Amino acid sequence: MAFSYIRTMGTDVDAFLGQLARHLRPQVEKLSGLLLQRLNGELPELWEDADIAALTLDETAQHVTALLDLLETHPGASASKAPPAALDIARLYARRGIPVSRLLRAYRLDHLSLLEQLQAEAPRLTSDWHMINLATMRLVAIGFDYVDRSSEEVVAAYQEERDHLLRRRLALTDRASKLVGTTLDITRTAEELTEVCTEDFADLVTVDLFDAVLDETGTGSPEALTQRRVAQRSVLDGCPESPLRVGESHAYPDDSEPVHALATGRSVLHHIAGTVPPWVAPSESHGRVLRDLGLHSVLLVPLHARGDTLGLVQFVRHRTSVPFDDDDLLLAQEIVSRAAVSIDNARRYTHERSTALALQRTLLPHHTVKQAAVETASRYMPAGSRAGVGGDWYDVIPLSGARVALVVGDVVGRGLHAAATMGRLRTAVRAFADIDLMPDELLTHLDDVVIRMQREESADEGETSATCLYAIYDPVSRRCSLASAGHVPPTVVTPSTIGEVIGASREVGLPEVPIGPPLGLGGLPFETTEFELPEDSLLVLHTDGLIAGRTRDVDQGLATLHDVLTSAPDSLEEICDRLLAALLPGRPADDVALLVARTHALDPNHVATMDLPSDPAAVSGARRFASDVLAAWELEDLSFTTELVVSELVTNAIRYGKSPIQLRLILQSTLTCEVSDASSTAPHLRRARIYDEGGRGLLLVAQCAERWGTRHGREGKVIWAEQALPADSASTAEVT
């Protein structure tokens, strides 16, 4: 009601307010000082921040000028926009995390003080109290309208800045979730954390981890406070803010904030004003560097995962003028907590991988026993860091009769479980090989072993399965017998038939091997395949990791393997190196086991064979044959024991076996006596009683021989016994 009266008298009042504005314009600086003095008294916390204090000076002067302009030009019009400094200070409040209520309180106090100053100046221009009252009421109306409209703009600027900060923080969180923890590598994960957080959050980020976390053996003491700088990144070249370099170990001073943060697991927001604490700058010279850079705030955030404190992350600001606030601390905690889980995953994986790799290398053969049948070279390569150690293995097992077994296998799965399963299967294969089973029979027994393992294991360990290739090579007949349980067949390289040309190409191919089911399915048969190999042929056995990959199919891998083997050098070690270089230029995605064997043929003069009738009278002839052969081999010192062994084995075959019966003597690194017959009945070693007429034959054989045993074939069995050669006769055992 009073306002409608004022509007009727508007012309005189507006003229007076314009006169008042012109009178006060030279005093803008003085009025601003008075306003700031009151703000300083009522809101002293505003002056603790130098940036806010500086902007407040400009903002106050702009508010005074804006209101005087409004009174002098168009006092009846709508209020003008808020001054630029008012919007800038609103954005600064938002970046500092100061509540908008404090901003509005300062805004209201500022304008109220200005209105009071204008009202105090009115009596200096007129003594008409009626005009003064009308002008005061009009001034209050204009002032409140100005405050309301400009406050809306200020709040909008504040909220816009807060929304912008929120979007930036959400974007940072999103980037961190995608870019931190992309590998199972501790150092790389820490580096990713520093890279993400120095883009738009901190000027320096450092990551320190306890030595126990970096100890791959898992034997480090978790109580040790020594840490190692594993990663750091700065917006400045060379990280001049950090006194440490990556890889250096250190310990924070006792009772320092980092030690307190590590002990309590609580993050710390530290503002630096004046003196730089020793845990930030351990030396005076480094303190000067930090002061020159303008270091002003630090966040200390412990790396905490699954109940363990792994280390400490520091976020530092110096080039960024806005110091860290509580919201920044919460954001840093969220990012670090995710990174801590990734680092802990990498730590656990690294420990398990190291353990599994050590176990696997222990279980694999370190060197093969020298024998006459084949010459071998091998390689084992664990998978890359993400895939983990698998259960690939290979083996070379000497057998009776100068033969040798070549084995390669692959357990499905990764980690300790796969490595331990591989060890159990390799042991089982050696045990079955020791009783001279044929390849298909050995795989059948091994299949039963895997099925029993499946029944013994819990559901969370996953189903046990494996593939295996088992081959037997006989240097006497130059025949190779093999069977596959879901495994890729070997590659056979035969010598070139184009003369004795150095570097002539070889013939490379895959034998027709029926591939049986993987181990662990049960109930399905395996099949043995036999083929003859020329002397100096190559057998290349491997797991599928050698020829298959993420960017290459099996056919491409086999083609590359054949190309390398076509012009393979003589050195088996060089062949292995060339295959790995051609097929695995980088870290393999899967474990790789490679076994290359060059076959030899036993000198025919080192093998003597005699067919025997099923007649006891043939025993004496067998003894004479053995004596003559040993004389020809200059092994007369072994005649007595050899004749005794031959007599007992031949007698046993005639008495309990079936025709045809054959005696064979083999000279290699040992002297082997073999007697074969068509019966599948195996003899048993037993202790004869005093009055028993039999039962002592095999006991005598066991006493005279170093090893003896029985192996079964498709058409009967072979009983064999081995004797060591005299030291001066070793040269006669070398193959040609």
Side-chain angles (χ1 to χ4, degrees):
M1 300 182 310
F3 289 111
S4 61
Y5 173 73
I6 291 175
R7 282 194 292 271
T8 63
M9 303 293 294
T11 304
D12 293 339
V13 173
D14 291 344
F16 177 74
L17 291 178
Q19 182 182 2
L20 177 62
R22 288 189 293 272
H23 171 72
L24 291 176
R25 191 171 297 280
Q27 304 179 41
V28 169
E29 187 174 343
K30 176 183 176 183
L31 290 174
S32 300
L34 293 173
L35 298 181
L36 290 174
Q37 185 177 0
R38 181 170 181 179
L39 280 177
N40 188 23
E42 300 214 18
L43 295 173
E45 63 271 16
L46 296 180
W47 309 99
E48 295 175 359
D49 190 310
D51 292 336
I52 291 179
L55 267 179
T56 302
L57 293 173
D58 292 339
E59 181 206 24
T60 303
Q62 289 184 16
H63 275 308
V64 172
T65 302
L67 191 55
L68 292 180
D69 289 342
L70 184 62
L71 296 178
E72 185 176 358
T73 55
H74 302 288
S78 299
S80 62
K81 293 183 179 180
L87 303 180
D88 291 340
I89 201 169
R91 298 186 184 99
L92 186 56
Y93 270 57
R95 289 194 293 271
R96 293 290 195 269
I98 302 174
V100 69
S101 59
R102 189 182 301 175
L103 171 64
L104 293 177
R105 183 185 176 196
Y107 205 61
R108 288 193 301 271
L109 284 174
D110 196 359
H111 287 81
L112 178 60
S113 299
L114 178 56
L115 292 176
E116 291 175 350
Q117 293 297 325
L118 291 174
Q119 185 180 11
E121 287 294 326
R124 297 179 185 273
L125 299 180
T126 182
S127 59
D128 186 354
W129 286 102
H130 180 66
M131 176 61 71
I132 293 175
N133 288 335
L134 291 177
T136 300
M137 296 179 67
R138 184 60 174 273
L139 186 60
V140 170
I142 294 173
F144 274 105
D145 186 54
Y146 177 81
V147 169
D148 289 342
R149 291 181 179 274
S150 57
S151 294
E152 289 178 1
E153 296 181 31
V154 167
V155 171
Y158 180 95
Q159 191 59 48
E160 182 182 1
E161 186 68 18
R162 292 294 294 173
D163 291 343
H164 177 64
L165 289 174
L166 181 59
R167 287 193 297 270
R168 287 174 55 194
R169 287 167 176 168
L170 289 176
L172 177 60
T173 304
D174 182 62
R175 285 202 312 274
S177 64
K178 293 178 180 178
L179 301 179
V180 178
T182 61
T183 67
L184 286 172
D185 182 89
I186 295 176
T187 301
R188 182 56 195 148
T189 301
E191 290 173 349
E192 291 169 343
L193 174 61
T194 63
E195 291 168 1
V196 168
C197 292
T198 51
E199 288 182 7
D200 194 23
F201 183 68
D203 298 324
L204 169 69
V205 181
T206 68
V207 181
D208 297 330
L209 296 179
F210 288 118
D211 285 340
V213 175
L214 299 170
D215 184 8
E216 294 184 359
T217 64
T219 59
S221 172
E223 291 81 15
L225 295 179
T226 302
Q227 299 182 63
R228 191 181 309 166
R229 180 66 50 85
V230 295
Q232 62 183 15
R233 188 178 181 88
S234 171
V235 295
L236 304 176
D237 293 336
C239 287
E241 313 96 317
S242 174
L244 298 172
R245 292 294 173 260
V246 174
E248 292 183 356
S249 296
H250 68 101
Y252 289 107
D254 295 339
D255 298 327
S256 63
E257 291 198 18
V259 171
H260 179 72
L262 290 169
T264 62
R266 297 176 180 174
S267 302
V268 175
L269 168 57
H270 184 85
H271 293 290
I272 298 174
T275 305
V276 180
W279 56 269
V280 176
S283 66
E284 179 59 31
S285 59
H286 188 67
R288 286 194 298 269
V289 171
L290 296 181
R291 284 192 294 272
D292 293 340
L293 290 174
L295 180 70
H296 54 73
S297 57
V298 179
L299 296 179
L300 302 174
V301 184
L303 280 157
H304 196 75
R306 300 184 178 97
D308 294 329
T309 299
L310 310 178
L312 186 70
V313 182
Q314 291 190 55
F315 302 89
V316 177
R317 280 184 179 173
H318 52 78
R319 190 176 68 175
T320 303
S321 60
V322 179
F324 288 119
D325 57 23
D326 292 336
D327 288 340
D328 292 323
L329 182 61
L330 293 175
L331 176 61
Q333 288 174 330
E334 181 177 355
I335 295 174
V336 170
S337 65
R338 296 187 182 189
V341 173
S342 298
I343 289 176
D344 189 54
N345 289 339
R347 174 179 71 99
R348 292 168 181 263
Y349 165 77
T350 301
H351 174 59
E352 180 177 335
R353 174 181 168 81
S354 300
T355 304
L357 190 57
L359 174 62
Q360 190 170 43
R361 292 195 184 280
T362 302
L363 295 173
L364 290 174
H366 296 283
H367 60 276
T368 57
V369 178
K370 187 177 181 180
Q371 32 73 40
V374 295
E375 173 191 356
T376 62
S378 58
R379 294 289 188 274
Y380 169 75
M381 291 186 66
S385 59
R386 269 195 175 276
V389 177
D392 292 16
W393 90 93
Y394 62 87
D395 210 345
V396 180
I397 308 172
L399 302 176
S400 62
R403 299 169 307 133
V404 65
L406 305 173
V407 191
V408 66
D410 184 359
V411 175
V412 176
R414 294 283 183 272
L416 280 173
H417 177 69
T421 301
M422 177 273 288
R424 296 173 68 180
L425 293 184
R426 178 173 179 260
T427 302
V429 169
R430 281 188 160 261
F432 295 143
D434 193 54
I435 58 178
D436 267 328
L437 293 177
M438 293 188 66
D440 59 329
E441 294 177 355
L442 183 142
L443 292 181
T444 300
H445 286 283
L446 194 62
D447 188 42
D448 293 337
V449 170
V450 174
I451 292 174
R452 285 196 298 271
M453 292 170 62
Q454 291 174 349
R455 294 170 180 169
E456 295 169 358
E457 292 170 353
S458 60
D460 58 351
E461 291 177 332
E463 185 174 351
T464 299
S465 181
T467 64
C468 183
L469 180 72
Y470 185 82
I472 298 176
Y473 174 69
D474 186 347
V476 177
S477 64
R478 293 186 289 104
R479 294 193 66 80
C480 179
S481 306
L482 60 86
S484 169
H487 203 88
V488 292
T491 300
V492 177
V493 184
T494 55
S496 174
T497 57
I498 311 176
E500 297 295 329
V501 180
I502 298 177
S505 62
R506 302 167 181 263
E507 297 181 8
V508 182
L510 293 173
E512 295 184 1
V513 179
I515 299 178
L519 300 171
L521 295 183
L524 299 174
F526 302 99
E527 185 177 343
T528 296
T529 299
E530 290 191 6
F531 51 88
E532 187 173 326
L533 288 173
E535 188 175 4
D536 290 332
S537 296
L538 295 180
L539 274 172
V540 181
L541 290 75
H542 55 84
T543 53
D544 57 1
L546 181 67
I547 57 175
R550 289 188 293 267
T551 60
R552 180 187 60 210
D553 59 26
V554 174
D555 292 337
Q556 290 176 329
L558 283 175
T560 303
L561 182 141
H562 290 178
D563 290 341
V564 174
L565 293 176
T566 298
S567 57
D570 290 335
S571 169
L572 297 184
E573 297 292 337
E574 188 174 348
I575 291 175
C576 290
D577 292 338
R578 287 192 182 184
L579 287 174
L580 295 181
L583 291 163
L584 302 172
R587 299 190 69 175
D590 192 6
D591 279 28
V592 174
L594 172 64
L595 178 62
V596 180
R598 175 177 284 119
T599 64
H600 296 300
L602 201 62
D603 187 347
N605 294 325
H606 288 182
V607 181
T609 304
M610 179 181 186
D611 294 326
L612 299 170
S614 184
D615 183 354
V619 175
S620 59
R623 287 197 298 267
R624 287 193 300 273
F625 173 78
S627 178
D628 294 342
V629 170
L630 293 184
W633 288 346
E634 299 180 357
L635 295 175
E636 290 88 347
D637 293 345
L638 297 179
S639 291
F640 176 76
T641 55
T642 303
E643 289 182 30
L644 178 60
V645 169
V646 167
S647 177
E648 296 300 333
L649 294 183
V650 171
T651 299
N652 191 77
I654 293 173
R655 178 175 296 181
Y656 303 108
K658 296 179 182 179
S659 296
I661 301 173
Q662 186 182 75
L663 168 65
R664 186 169 73 167
L665 300 178
I666 302 174
L667 176 61
Q668 48 155 355
S669 56
T670 60
L671 175 64
T672 304
C673 301
E674 295 182 347
V675 176
S676 60
D677 67 83
S679 172
S680 60
T681 304
H684 297 282
L685 179 64
R686 64 184 180 89
R687 181 72 62 179
R689 296 180 181 274
I690 296 177
Y691 298 105
D692 287 349
E693 295 183 359
R696 297 179 176 84
L698 290 181
L699 179 62
L700 291 174
V701 171
Q703 295 297 319
C704 295
E706 277 196 339
R707 295 195 313 143
W708 77 279
T710 305
R711 68 174 182 267
H712 293 269
R714 296 283 187 242
E715 300 176 355
K717 67 178 182 297
V718 176
I719 305 176
W720 55 271
E722 289 183 358
Q723 301 176 73
L725 300 179
D728 56 357
S729 302
S731 60
T732 63
E734 295 183 0
V735 296
T736 58

